[in-house]
Amino acid sequence: MSPAPEDPRLPATTDRGAVPPPRRSAHDPQGPRPVPPPRHGTELTARGRRLPALAALVLMTVLCLAGLLYLAWRFALPVRVFLPEALLGLVLGAATLVFGFWVLRRIRPVREPYADASLVAVAWGLFAATGAGVVANAGLGSVWAKGLGLDLAGDWGAALTAPLNEELLKLAGIVLVAVAFPSAVRGPVDGFAIGSLVGLGFEVTENFVYSINAVLMAGGTGGLVPVVQATVLRVGLTGLGSHWALSAVAGTAVGLLAAVAWRPRPRRAVGAALLVVLAMALHWLLDAPVLGGLPGVLFTVAGIFATTMAVYFTVRHTYRRRVRAALAAEAEELGMRRSAAVALATRHGRRRELQRVAQPERAAVAARQEQMVETAEDRAARYAT
C-alpha cells in the first residue's frame, strides 16, 4: 500500500476542466468570474465505461429487490405474530442506519463520498448481501453439521461460514459500486468509505434478524426486552468491530485496484489480496469461540477496531498529503496564497476561508472552492497510479 511518489508537475487541466482563476480583490469592479459546476460522474461519459457502469447498476438493482423480497417472505410470519417487537427492531435499526450513515460518510477525508454511490452501497448491504447471506448460512451450516457433527458445528459453524460467504457477498457489492460509480471509487480511501457503508447496511439488517431470533428463542414471552438486549449487545458492545469495519478493510482493497483501472501490478494485487484475507481473518476472530466471556469479546472488538483504524489512518494520511500537494500546485498556477489553497483540504479549512469573505460573495467563493477541491482530488487520484 506504499503510495506512488507525488508529482505536482502534472498539468493543471484535468478531465473535469481547468480551475477558473480566483478574484484578486473583493473590490474588483468586474465582479466574480463565473465558475463552472463540478462535472460529477465524468467517467460515465466515456464509451468504454458507460456500458459496464449501467450493467453493474442494473444488476445491483435486481439483486437488491430480490434480496428485499426474500427477506420479506422469510420473516413475514414472525413479524406478523410479534408485530410490536418487530416495529421496535425496525425503529432501532433505522436509528442505527441514520447515525452510522452520517458518521461513516464523514470519515472520508476532504469531503463526503457522493450521495448516490453511498445510498446504493447501503442498499446492497441491507438487502442483497443479507438476503443471499441468509441462504448461504443455512446451506453451509448443514454442510458443517454433516461433516463435523452437531456439537463441533454448533461451536465453530459461524466462524467457518461467515468469513467466507458474508465477506465475499459484501465484497461483490463494493466491486459493483466501484464499477457503477467510477468517479466515487478512485482509490483506497474511497474504497474504505464505500466498504464501510456496505457493512453498515449488512449490520442493520442482521441486527433485525438477530432481534427476531432473540424473541423466538425467548418463546415470545419476553416482550420488547429481547429486542433491546440484542441491539445493545450488537451495537453498543460489538459495534466498533462489526461489519462496517470488516467491509471497510476489504473495500480498501477494491480502491487499490480501482485506482489503476483494475490492471494492477503484482505488488498492488498482492496488497489488495492481503487486505481481503485480513478482513476474513478478522471476521473469523469475531465469531470464533477462542476468547470467551465479556473480557474476551471486548478484547476481540478492540483488536478489530484498532486494525481497521490502522488501515484507515494509513490511507487517510496518504490521500490528504496528495490532495494538499495538488492544491499547492493549483495555488502556484492561479497566483493565490499557498496556505489559503492548502486549507481547502479540510472541511474546517473551507469554512474558515468562507468566513473571511463578505456574505454576498460566499456563494461564488464556495463554488470556486468546490471546483478547486474537485480538481485536486482528480490529481490525487492520478498520483495514486
Side-chain angles (χ1 to χ4, degrees):
M1 294 185 0
S2 59
E6 298 171 2
D7 187 5
R9 296 174 297 174
L10 288 172
T13 302
T14 69
D15 57 349
R16 297 176 186 269
V19 178
R23 292 179 61 196
R24 295 184 176 273
S25 169
H27 302 288
D28 190 342
Q30 296 180 354
R33 296 174 180 144
V35 180
R39 292 162 58 187
H40 165 43
T42 303
E43 293 88 341
L44 293 180
T45 63
R47 182 181 299 273
R49 293 188 178 183
R50 189 185 310 151
L51 184 58
L54 179 60
L57 189 58
V58 170
L59 179 60
M60 295 185 76
T61 302
V62 171
L63 292 179
C64 284
L65 288 175
L68 174 60
L69 292 175
Y70 173 76
L71 291 171
W73 171 80
R74 176 71 172 74
F75 295 98
L77 181 59
V79 166
R80 186 165 63 248
V81 175
F82 303 104
L83 184 58
E85 292 85 348
L87 290 177
L88 178 60
L90 289 174
V91 170
L92 294 175
T96 303
L97 182 62
V98 170
F99 179 74
F101 188 78
W102 177 76
V103 170
L104 295 178
R105 293 187 74 230
R106 293 281 298 181
I107 66 175
R108 185 188 185 277
V110 184
R111 58 180 177 174
E112 292 84 357
Y114 293 127
D116 49 5
S118 301
L119 292 172
V120 171
V122 170
W124 178 270
L126 280 170
F127 307 124
T130 37
V134 170
V135 177
N137 283 341
L140 285 176
S142 300
V143 172
W144 304 136
K146 292 178 180 179
L148 302 176
L150 293 178
D151 292 338
L152 197 58
D155 293 334
W156 289 91
L160 295 174
T161 300
L164 293 177
N165 65 354
E166 293 180 2
E167 289 308 315
L168 292 179
L169 287 169
K170 291 184 295 177
L171 180 64
I174 303 169
V175 172
L176 287 172
V177 171
V179 174
F181 302 94
S183 61
V185 183
R186 295 183 293 181
V189 72
D190 298 318
F192 186 99
I194 293 298
S196 69
L197 292 170
V198 171
L200 170 67
F202 193 99
E203 179 72 16
V204 168
T205 300
E206 191 177 71
N207 288 350
F208 177 78
V209 173
Y210 271 75
S211 297
I212 296 298
N213 289 339
V215 172
L216 296 175
M217 291 179 65
T221 61
L224 302 179
V225 174
V227 178
V228 176
Q229 289 178 338
T231 302
V232 170
L233 175 64
R234 295 182 56 80
V235 176
L237 185 62
T238 64
L240 289 179
S242 60
H243 285 283
W244 76 267
L246 305 172
S247 296
V249 174
T252 305
V254 176
L256 280 174
L257 302 181
V260 291
W262 309 100
R263 294 187 292 271
R265 293 181 178 179
R267 183 178 178 183
R268 185 179 288 257
V270 170
L274 289 177
L275 283 170
V276 174
V277 171
L278 176 60
M280 291 182 172
L282 293 175
H283 201 154
W284 177 88
L285 182 63
L286 182 64
D287 290 337
V290 177
L291 300 175
L294 181 60
V297 172
L298 293 177
F299 180 80
T300 300
V301 170
I304 294 173
F305 181 72
T307 303
T308 304
M309 288 297 97
V311 173
Y312 168 69
F313 283 113
T314 299
V315 299
R316 175 180 181 269
H317 173 74
T318 302
Y319 187 73
R320 290 184 67 181
R321 188 177 71 241
R322 289 169 178 162
V323 171
R324 287 193 181 103
L327 287 169
E330 289 187 60
E332 183 177 353
E333 294 158 3
L334 298 174
M336 61 185 297
R337 288 185 297 110
R338 183 181 186 277
S339 59
V342 172
L344 304 182
T346 65
R347 299 172 180 87
H348 174 72
R350 293 195 291 273
R351 288 195 298 267
R352 187 178 65 243
E353 292 298 318
L354 276 180
Q355 290 173 355
R356 297 176 178 176
V357 180
Q359 184 67 39
E361 300 178 357
R362 287 185 181 178
V365 173
R368 189 177 302 121
Q369 287 183 349
E370 181 71 14
Q371 180 67 10
M372 289 188 67
V373 171
E374 187 86 6
T375 304
E377 289 197 308
D378 278 346
R379 284 185 167 184
R382 293 185 179 188
Y383 295 163
T385 62

